[in-house]
Amino acid sequence: MKNIIIAIDGYSACGKSTTAKQVAKELNYRYIDSGAMYRSVTKYFLDHHVSITNPKEVVKALDQIRISFVVNSKGNSETFLNGINVETAIRKMEISENVSQVSALKAVRIAMVEQQRKLGKERKIVMDGRDIGTVVFPNADLKVFLTADMLVRAFRRQRELLEKDDLVDIDDIIDNLKKRDQIDSTRKESPLIKAESAILIDTTHVTVDEQVDEVIRMALTKMIPKVNGNL
Ligand code: DC
């Protein structure tokens, strides 16, 4: 069986990480949440009052940042920033409100893409983000692009935050998603666009299990070339 790289890109709150995590578990692959890396950088910048308009400060700060992923006892990947577990902290609204500005910086992207490529060296990886199929792994074996209606995305994000005891008004979530969509898809560096060869899945009316099954089915056709889509 061939070891493959699966790239899952798309807008915020379309179910990328839920799908990617589940696909990785079922294939016994490594899951990497590239958004968590940009969120961690954002947390570091906020905690250390790094001015994002000062390129020297940005480069100096990036040099101090070490991001790693550790799989916990439940089999879920958790994000560590300089040895500290930041998995919960990086999901807060304060981070969501600043991450698109930080992730638009060229120096930040260069540093993260380099780390992401290292993580993909041994293949057997599912990575989700915005530029995984276009920039990080343009030769990924399988590229998926997820989309969904804004209201569905906002309610999904609200439920996720609520599960972490963070009650956020639906209008604030919609505002944040719209702003991030706009910045993520119009930025100069690696804008969010669907790779030509990516398969588009609209998750508005699809359950997580259906999404996961669809990606696994496509992955198997790449892992076992003889299957050729006849599963
Ligand atoms: O997937 P997420 O919502 O946790 O990502 C947070 C932000 O990080 C998102 O608004 C854009 C940025 N991001 C990016 O620019 N490139 C990636 N590969 C992943 C995320």
Side-chain angles (χ1 to χ4, degrees):
M1 216 185 260
K2 188 180 170 197
N3 293 334
I4 65 167
I5 293 180
I6 303 175
I8 302 186
D9 288 304
Y11 297 98
S12 308
C14 284
K16 291 187 305 291
S17 47
T18 315
T19 308
K21 259 182 224 167
Q22 194 57 31
V23 168
K25 256 189 198 161
E26 291 193 23
L27 295 177
N28 205 12
Y29 270 32
R30 186 154 191 217
Y31 163 62
I32 298 292
D33 174 356
S34 71
M37 299 172 79
Y38 292 99
R39 286 174 178 272
S40 299
V41 172
T42 305
K43 176 162 172 49
Y44 185 95
F45 282 12
L46 288 173
D47 289 352
H48 294 83
H49 308 288
V50 175
S51 160
I52 62 167
T53 53
N54 182 335
K56 274 192 190 151
E57 259 188 51
V58 168
V59 170
K60 203 170 143 207
L62 284 169
D63 209 38
Q64 306 296 315
I65 295 176
R66 296 283 167 270
I67 299 166
S68 51
F69 294 97
V70 176
V71 177
N72 68 17
S73 55
K74 288 185 185 147
N76 297 321
S77 174
E78 294 189 322
T79 315
F80 283 70
L81 169 60
N82 292 336
I84 293 168
N85 188 334
V86 290
E87 188 53 41
T88 306
I90 58 171
R91 310 291 163 190
K92 298 271 178 202
M93 272 305 267
E94 191 198 8
I95 304 290
S96 298
E97 277 161 6
N98 289 280
V99 66
S100 280
Q101 290 83 339
V102 171
S103 62
L105 301 174
K106 189 172 184 175
V108 171
R109 301 213 72 83
I110 290 173
M112 292 306 108
V113 169
E114 190 189 333
Q115 289 196 31
Q116 288 153 9
R117 287 187 179 145
K118 273 191 198 149
L119 289 163
K121 263 204 163 144
E122 284 160 34
R123 307 177 70 81
K124 294 185 84 166
I125 194 168
V126 185
M127 193 177 287
D128 74 349
R130 305 292 187 292
D131 60 342
I132 310 305
T134 49
V135 174
V136 182
F137 300 122
N139 296 322
D141 306 83
L142 175 62
K143 298 179 190 179
V144 176
F145 192 92
L146 297 185
T147 171
D149 282 356
M150 177 54 80
L151 208 55
V152 170
R153 291 166 59 197
F155 278 120
R156 284 180 187 160
R157 182 50 49 90
Q158 189 184 46
R159 202 175 48 220
E160 254 173 44
L161 287 165
L162 205 56
E163 277 164 14
K164 289 168 190 145
D165 295 327
D166 205 357
L167 175 60
V168 183
D169 192 272
I170 196 74
D171 290 330
D172 292 341
I173 296 180
I174 291 174
D175 273 358
N176 176 258
L177 291 178
K178 280 188 177 163
K179 250 184 231 149
R180 284 206 286 147
D181 281 359
Q182 216 266 335
I183 300 176
D184 294 347
S185 39
T186 57
R187 68 183 176 213
K188 209 169 128 233
E189 303 298 330
S190 314
L192 166 66
I193 42 163
K194 179 184 157 303
E196 231 174 75
S197 54
I199 313 285
L200 182 76
I201 302 180
D202 184 335
T203 71
T204 309
H205 304 292
V206 178
T207 66
V208 172
D209 283 349
E210 285 168 337
Q211 269 158 239
V212 171
D213 284 352
E214 177 70 4
V215 179
I216 297 267
R217 191 190 61 75
M218 293 188 287
L220 287 175
T221 66
K222 308 286 178 185
M223 292 163 78
I224 315 166
K226 269 193 213 146
V227 172
N228 259 340
N230 291 329
L231 270 186

